[in-house]
Amino acid sequence: MKYIKFLSLISLFFVGIISSVFAADLKVGFIYVNPVGENTGWDYQHDLGRKAVEEAYGDKVETSYVEAVPEGADAERVMTQMALSGHDMIFATSFGFMDPVMNVASKFPNVKFEHATGYKRSDNVATYSARFYEGRSIIGHIAGRMTNTDTIGYIASYPIPEVIRGINSAYLAAKAVNPNIKFKVVWVFTWFDPAKEADAASTLIDQGADMIMQHTDSTAAMTIAEERGVFAFGQASDMKKFGPRAQLTSIIDDWAPYYVERVGKALNGTWKSEDTWDGLAPGMAAISEFSKEIPEKIRKEAQNLHDAIASGTIHSFTGPINKQDGSAWLSTGETADDGTLLGMNFYVEGIEGDIPQ
Amino acid sequence: MDFASIDPTTIIYNLMIAATPILYAALGELLVEKAGVLNLGVEGMMIIGAICGFAISVETGSSYIGFIAAACGGAMLSVIFAVMTQYFLANQVASGLALTLFGLGLAALLGHSYTGQVPPQISKLDLPILSTIPVFGKMFFHHDFFVYFSLMLVLFVWYFLTKTRLGLVVQAVGENHDSAHAIGYSVTTIRFFSILFGGALAGLGGGYLSLIRVPQWTEGMTAGAGWIALAIVVFSSWRPWRLILGAYIFGGITILQLNLQAIGVNIDIALLSMTPYAITIVALVLMSVNKSKKSLGAPGSLGKSFIKVS
Amino acid sequence: MIKLTPRDHQSKLLTAITPIIAVIFTMICGGVLFWILGKNPFEAIKLIFWDPLMSETFSDYARPQILIKASPLILIALGLSIGFRANIWNIGAEGQFIMGALISACIGLAFYPLENRFIFPLMILGGMVGGAFWAIIPAILKSRFNTNEILVSLMLVYIAEQALASASIGILRNPEGSGFPGSRNLNHYPSTSNPELIEGSGIHWGVIFSFLAIWFFYYLLKNHKFGFQIKLFGDAPRAASFAGLKTEYIILLCFSISGALAGVAGMFELTGPAGAITIDFNVGYGFTAIIVAFLGRLNPVGIFFAGLLMALTYVGGEISQFMLGIPAAAIQVFQGMLLFFLLSIDLIVKFRLSFTKQNFISRKD
């Protein structure tokens, strides 16, 4: 037995050397801000995208990743080392990687960079993000139709445009079908703290919410919703495992098609720096299967809304909409421009409470 | 703003659950510190407890066995710390920090295949008669066994430290290890087992987190709870009873601020989250000012290695 | 039974050899770990320890990067080691690091967009004052009321973290940052930037500063009166007070030195590699530096090597992640093991071990 183990060690050693000789056409690196995890979450979804790339191109592409990379100096070092080790393309999957990406990209003009959710670009830095707010419209609609207490609980992470946009979008959709709707928003100031998210969910339920929405990464709130017998909407991944009855649907981050497409373009030489902000239409923001708990009729409405948003006939932010302070934002029929949406820092009229500053 | 919609009953009910994991961990650390050892590895031991408890209860289908496993896991990790600091005389602060690093990594590796699993449910233990008392029944007597168990352990640790001979020896060792040694007590052995006890309790706290409070396993799920436990020990001025108060205040502030937010009160969350720590510092100062009650202060030999030369 | 006798003189040879033994132990245990995870252990160890230093691909870039990663660790650890020698326990360097960065960011951004070459030195001063201010709180409480400084300094870390979060979404938030949390990037404005001093290396003022600090502390401890006072205070506080040393003075001085160094490390990190204040700007340098101080046996030269070793495991760990697919958690475990061995093996340096038969008279326990 010992000898076999020894031999296998020796052979591993050689495999290591040999494998570095055969190089793929394109080496693609990914950096994640958190550990990838196993089932759910922002980073997990990006890693699914990475696996899709591997599957799509087989031997032609080699991928690798570094997880739990702190934003800032460490990210810059990791990306530089990736570039040095022959990576041709690097996906940086967190907003905080923005300045490091720009710095590294300027030093490696031949390496293609893709930065998620940022707003700085250059010849070899493309940006991409998803219109998750379109998904929020759909869950807002379902919640507005299904709530018995007219109270929706919303677990928010940090007061950034992305999160505020989601709250507004869900609120408007819910308000459209239920004029009495009330949103209770709780800011937990973390993307990931299962215990705190669980507390937030409990609190909201105690305060009368019978629908829980979240813009945080852990599955704790879903578990609590299941336990307490209310409904909830998943975030980033399908969280059905954690709330088989509670989950009505999830907004899913599906990066796979985008990653496959961009790597494909890099392979055939047509890659260009672009800014992509895709929504339900190509399925970058997707809606998971509707639960059987949603009545047939509402399920159909939600599907129709989904299709209408995807086809562009309905925009999540269509006037008349006033800001929270009563000032006019969009006139009747007017739709929000992307610039305002990207920097959104106000609630729409009807939402109570203040955005923490 | 509708303050009426905040129900004190549910707040207290929730904060008891929120406080239980940190209460367990803090109680263990209290005894460790009473023995004169500062173990900053609470976070690491908690998360190891969380994964061990979770994995075993998923495998066996019993939460109770899971809790035993959580305690064992925490204790096993603390053995590393105990050996390093008691036998190899490594610095306690540095060793504790290393233990946290190691524990967080190890838990993530161990837990790789357990994300997304559902642990067996544990039923609430409605205490007969008591749980039917209006208001108080729901607040205090409608919890699961392990909430009561944490309180019983507080009683036990208090009794042990103040009423038993061995407990007094532990305190003597923590207060002045040289004189304790001179009288003939084995400082090393006493500290070794205190550390193990602390590890076991930190493990239980982690187990409560993954089995009851959040019911799931996620990498890094303790998210700083171990550090709060360390603060509570100080807050309590090393008195088991005050530990309950401390844990409930620390847990309560989170629950309260979430409730206030939910009814739309505009609060400065950062400021509110700072307050318990600031209160702890004030409490520390008040204790140290009051020299007449020396027993209130930190154990005399806290954090110092005991070097027995012969 | 094993008997411990303190060594009168620590052998230079042992001091040099023991860390190597610890590293070898770690390589063996770590190798087993990587093997269990299905990775090639030789390849993994090589990627962590060898490639950043020697490989053709990485070394040119990684060597200075190790210095850059190590410099805040070394700066903080040097300051802490002074206190630790005197038995004064500041474990709140993480908080002082944050406060140094926050104060210097406030100064830098207050002048924005003014261009003036005095702003940067003023920020350095601000970083020192910020860190020292945060460190002096436990020092005053300790000297005035004899409050346990370990615990107060630890509590102040949590408060500093909240202040950081509050500042990055509040007063310091970049007005042109589309509402995202975090300040302006100080590196983008010449007056507040901590520039690259040697083209392509990334070496910044913080690295230079940490080298100067090593030299300074080496001299201080070896040749200056203060060095002896510290040592005396740590070994025999009573004798020190007979010798006329004021306890308050030593406590305040140790805390201000360590706080100022942690603060200035925060300032250099902010203006250099990090660039901006963000919610999780602090990545644990303050805590890791405590370990570095002990790994370096509280000796300036030792701290230099310990800092480099820690930095090497970070840099090498990342390389092994993307080259070999080793999970980040395994790297953490590996670092934990390295620290366990390094901290434990110190025993041999400090004490002479002799094996005796169990003897109930000499060993009462």
Side-chain angles (χ1 to χ4, degrees):
Chain A
M1 219 21 220
K2 267 185 187 166
Y3 293 104
I4 295 173
K5 280 187 183 169
F6 182 71
L7 282 176
S8 66
L9 277 181
I10 299 284
S11 58
L12 273 175
F13 183 64
F14 285 107
V15 169
I17 291 170
I18 295 164
S19 63
S20 54
V21 175
F22 294 101
D25 294 355
L26 194 75
K27 257 175 108 174
V28 187
F30 292 75
I31 65 168
Y32 310 131
V33 70
N34 291 310
V36 168
E38 276 299 285
N39 265 295
T40 55
W42 175 262
D43 302 273
Y44 175 73
Q45 293 301 125
H46 284 287
D47 202 51
L48 282 187
R50 179 184 69 84
K51 286 178 181 152
V53 168
E54 285 217 315
E55 198 152 302
Y57 299 108
D59 291 342
K60 280 200 273 181
V61 170
E62 190 189 324
T63 71
S64 66
Y65 69 90
V66 182
E67 56 185 343
V69 181
E71 295 167 349
D74 298 282
E76 191 166 331
R77 185 179 60 241
V78 171
M79 285 187 281
T80 307
Q81 310 223 45
M82 279 184 157
L84 284 173
S85 69
H87 285 75
D88 308 286
M89 190 174 190
I90 293 171
F91 287 86
T93 63
S94 175
F95 172 75
F97 294 148
M98 183 161 68
D99 286 334
V101 165
M102 298 310 291
N103 292 346
V104 181
S106 65
K107 284 183 207 146
F108 294 93
N110 294 325
V111 179
K112 300 168 183 68
F113 290 84
E114 294 265 354
H115 178 226
T117 68
Y119 54 80
K120 293 186 184 168
R121 275 172 295 282
S122 71
D123 282 349
N124 60 334
V125 180
T127 53
Y128 61 99
S129 184
R131 295 174 189 268
F132 297 117
Y133 69 86
E134 295 185 346
R136 301 255 166 215
S137 289
I138 294 163
I139 64 172
H141 179 95
I142 298 172
R145 292 282 273 136
M146 283 186 68
T147 176
N148 293 318
T149 59
D150 292 340
T151 309
I152 313 294
Y154 204 110
I155 304 170
S157 50
Y158 290 104
I160 58 172
E162 162 79 31
V163 177
I164 297 166
R165 198 160 59 228
I167 297 170
N168 284 333
S169 171
Y171 176 78
L172 289 171
K175 179 90 175 172
V177 291
N178 182 344
N180 298 324
I181 204 80
K182 268 181 71 179
F183 264 45
K184 286 185 183 292
V185 183
V186 160
W187 298 90
V188 289
F189 283 84
T190 173
W191 286 110
F192 178 86
D193 182 343
K196 201 165 186 190
E197 292 168 51
D199 288 342
S202 292
T203 302
L204 289 166
I205 296 166
D206 290 337
Q207 296 258 342
D210 62 349
M211 299 276 152
I212 301 290
M213 296 177 183
Q214 66 175 88
H215 203 141
T216 46
D217 240 16
S218 95
T219 49
M222 183 62 72
T223 319
I224 296 296
E226 179 79 13
E227 212 176 77
R228 298 281 301 268
V230 303
F231 292 119
F233 299 92
Q235 154 85 5
S237 311
D238 193 342
M239 296 182 173
K240 197 164 185 178
K241 256 185 173 169
F242 298 88
R245 188 206 53 81
Q247 177 177 298
L248 294 178
T249 182
S250 272
I251 301 173
I252 293 182
D253 315 353
D254 187 5
W255 307 107
Y258 178 77
Y259 286 178
V260 170
E261 183 203 322
R262 299 296 285 177
V263 170
K265 283 190 171 166
L267 273 172
N268 64 27
T270 56
W271 187 93
K272 268 203 334 275
S273 164
E274 280 164 31
D275 177 30
T276 306
W277 201 21
D278 277 344
L280 292 173
M284 190 183 263
I287 290 293
S288 75
E289 194 192 350
F290 292 125
S291 152
K292 294 276 175 291
E293 300 281 339
I294 309 176
E296 182 70 38
K297 185 163 170 274
I298 302 175
R299 239 183 291 165
K300 218 170 237 159
E301 288 169 17
Q303 190 59 48
N304 288 342
L305 181 62
H306 174 279
D307 298 342
I309 292 176
S311 65
T313 50
I314 291 183
H315 190 285
S316 298
F317 293 96
T318 308
I321 303 174
N322 289 345
K323 294 185 180 178
Q324 190 186 33
D325 57 13
S327 62
W329 175 35
L330 297 175
S331 57
T332 310
E334 192 187 357
T335 56
D337 63 291
D338 282 359
T340 315
L341 287 181
L342 283 169
M344 192 173 243
N345 59 359
F346 58 86
Y347 280 152
V348 294
E349 194 175 44
I351 300 181
E352 286 166 25
D354 297 304
I355 299 170
Q357 289 300 333
Chain B
M1 266 160 248
D2 179 17
F3 283 97
S5 72
I6 295 188
D7 178 6
T9 322
T10 51
I11 288 198
I12 291 179
Y13 176 80
N14 281 333
L15 81 82
M16 282 180 81
I17 295 175
T20 299
I22 43 179
L23 180 57
Y24 272 115
L27 188 62
E29 180 69 12
L30 179 133
L31 190 99
V32 178
E33 290 189 13
K34 270 287 182 192
V37 178
L38 180 66
N39 184 353
L40 294 185
V42 182
E43 179 89 1
M45 301 185 296
M46 271 186 99
I47 198 145
I48 287 289
I51 181 57
C52 289
F54 191 87
I56 298 298
S57 64
V58 165
E59 299 296 342
T60 61
S62 156
S63 323
Y64 290 91
I65 299 178
F67 269 96
I68 295 170
C72 292
M76 259 148 63
L77 191 70
S78 72
V79 168
I80 298 178
F81 178 84
V83 169
M84 282 176 73
T85 58
Q86 300 311 306
Y87 295 106
F88 286 93
L89 306 178
N91 176 271
Q92 294 173 6
V93 172
S95 307
L97 293 170
L99 194 74
T100 292
L101 185 73
F102 183 79
L104 285 169
L106 186 63
L109 289 181
L110 290 174
H112 219 57
S113 52
Y114 286 98
T115 344
Q117 305 253 28
V118 182
Q121 279 262 342
I122 195 159
S123 54
K124 301 281 177 204
L125 216 58
D126 290 342
L127 298 186
I129 307 167
L130 289 176
S131 62
T132 57
I133 305 172
V135 187
F136 288 104
K138 167 128 203 307
M139 262 193 236
F140 299 121
F141 304 114
H142 190 66
H143 288 285
D144 54 85
F145 169 73
F146 290 95
V147 170
Y148 306 123
F149 186 61
S150 70
L151 300 174
M152 288 191 292
L153 272 177
V154 173
L155 179 70
F156 167 77
V157 169
W158 167 78
Y159 182 82
F160 172 77
L161 280 174
T162 54
K163 307 287 173 197
T164 67
R165 219 181 91 81
L166 190 59
L168 294 172
V169 171
V170 168
Q171 296 209 50
V173 164
E175 212 44 64
N176 186 333
H177 49 217
D178 292 318
S179 16
H181 173 67
I183 308 170
Y185 296 120
S186 166
V187 175
T188 311
T189 315
I190 286 168
R191 288 193 170 160
F192 191 91
F193 285 104
S194 301
I195 293 168
L196 251 60
F197 180 80
L201 256 61
L204 274 183
Y208 192 85
L209 208 57
S210 66
L211 288 172
I212 297 173
R213 185 160 172 224
V214 188
Q216 54 169 270
W217 162 254
T218 340
E219 199 173 325
M221 70 180 300
T222 44
W227 295 99
I228 296 177
L230 280 164
I232 293 170
V233 178
V234 186
F235 177 87
S236 74
S237 54
W238 296 271
R239 293 186 149 188
W241 291 112
R242 292 207 194 156
L243 214 54
I244 303 180
L245 184 71
Y248 287 5
I249 287 180
F250 274 69
I253 283 200
T254 316
I255 301 285
L256 186 69
Q257 65 105 334
L258 292 173
N259 269 285
L260 288 175
Q261 280 198 55
I263 61 163
V265 180
N266 189 18
I267 42 166
D268 189 333
I269 297 159
L271 199 66
L272 195 66
S273 316
M274 278 180 203
T275 36
Y277 300 109
I279 295 174
T280 304
I281 295 178
V282 173
L284 260 177
V285 174
L286 290 179
M287 280 181 296
S288 32
V289 171
N290 197 342
K291 293 255 167 60
S292 61
K293 292 184 177 170
K294 198 165 170 290
S295 62
L296 281 179
S301 299
L302 185 62
K304 293 175 188 149
S305 285
F306 172 64
I307 304 166
K308 186 176 76 76
V309 281
S310 46
Chain C
M1 272 285 103
I2 298 171
K3 212 173 80 171
L4 300 179
T5 333
R7 291 179 194 272
D8 300 332
H9 292 286
Q10 298 192 356
S11 137
K12 284 236 168 76
L13 182 71
L14 266 182
T15 314
I17 275 184
T18 44
I20 299 172
I21 299 174
V23 170
I24 292 173
F25 270 124
T26 315
M27 285 182 176
I28 296 170
C29 294
V32 172
L33 172 76
F34 297 138
W35 184 35
I36 293 171
L37 291 171
K39 309 291 176 191
N40 181 339
F42 299 104
E43 184 74 16
I45 302 285
K46 178 177 155 287
L47 282 170
I48 295 173
F49 287 107
W50 182 261
D51 277 29
L53 294 175
M54 297 300 172
S55 85
E56 214 173 297
T57 328
F58 298 111
S59 59
D60 282 350
Y61 174 75
R63 280 184 209 149
Q65 282 298 316
I66 291 169
L67 281 177
I68 292 165
K69 182 86 185 165
S71 82
L73 292 173
I74 293 171
L75 266 181
I76 303 171
L78 281 172
L80 294 177
S81 69
I82 295 291
F84 293 169
R85 275 169 181 256
N87 260 329
I88 294 166
W89 301 93
N90 173 8
I91 65 169
E94 186 81 2
Q96 294 140 24
F97 179 85
I98 293 174
M99 286 322 257
L102 272 182
I103 300 293
S104 62
C106 288
I107 294 173
L109 292 171
F111 286 112
Y112 176 86
L114 185 77
E115 291 294 347
N116 189 311
R117 64 202 155 103
F118 292 111
I119 295 177
F120 191 70
L122 194 65
M123 286 170 73
I124 296 184
L125 201 68
M128 287 181 158
V129 171
F133 159 68
W134 211 238
I136 274 180
I137 299 172
I140 290 178
L141 295 179
K142 164 96 177 169
S143 55
R144 261 293 168 77
F145 310 114
N146 200 24
T147 312
N148 186 310
E149 78 279 18
I150 301 184
L151 305 166
V152 176
S153 57
L154 182 64
M155 295 301 120
L156 285 170
V157 175
Y158 306 136
I159 297 181
E161 281 177 341
Q162 295 297 336
L164 175 69
S166 170
S168 45
I169 62 162
I171 52 164
L172 292 182
R173 165 138 62 169
N174 181 358
E176 288 150 27
S178 313
F180 281 95
S183 73
R184 287 179 196 278
N185 194 322
L186 294 162
N187 235 335
H188 292 177
Y189 311 105
S191 312
T192 59
S193 136
N194 177 5
E196 192 177 59
L197 298 173
I198 304 166
E199 178 72 30
S201 66
I203 298 285
H204 56 80
W205 281 114
V207 180
I208 308 294
F209 206 84
S210 66
F211 279 126
L212 288 176
I214 295 168
W215 172 79
F216 175 75
F217 278 91
Y218 183 79
Y219 169 80
L220 186 77
L221 291 171
K222 199 143 197 194
N223 298 322
H224 196 271
K225 197 176 85 184
F226 181 67
F228 298 112
Q229 289 178 338
I230 290 287
K231 193 165 164 25
L232 183 64
F233 191 82
D235 293 346
R238 207 168 281 173
S241 70
F242 286 137
L245 271 182
K246 276 205 178 141
T247 316
E248 293 88 27
Y249 160 77
I250 296 282
I251 293 172
L252 277 174
L253 205 60
C254 286
F255 263 96
S256 351
I257 292 175
S258 52
L261 282 181
V264 84
M267 181 273 167
F268 284 127
E269 194 64 15
L270 165 74
T271 51
I277 290 280
T278 50
I279 290 171
D280 31 31
F281 161 74
N282 58 317
V283 287
Y285 283 119
F287 287 118
T288 314
I290 296 175
I291 303 176
V292 168
F294 282 102
L295 293 186
R297 303 206 176 87
L298 309 183
N299 171 311
V301 181
I303 286 172
F304 172 67
F305 285 112
L308 290 184
L309 180 65
M310 274 313 284
L312 175 65
T313 62
Y314 283 114
V315 175
E318 289 153 10
I319 295 181
S320 75
Q321 275 197 58
F322 66 80
M323 294 294 282
L324 212 55
I326 290 174
I331 301 294
Q332 263 186 324
V333 171
F334 184 78
Q335 285 177 325
M337 288 198 272
L338 179 65
L339 300 175
F340 291 157
F341 285 121
L342 280 168
L343 291 169
S344 300
I345 207 155
D346 238 15
L347 186 76
I348 312 176
V349 183
K350 284 193 194 134
F351 298 94
R352 182 172 319 208
L353 313 184
S354 42
F355 295 88
T356 55
K357 279 192 180 159
Q358 180 125 22
N359 183 336
F360 286 96
I361 297 162
S362 80
R363 193 184 159 94
K364 284 195 190 114
D365 49 348

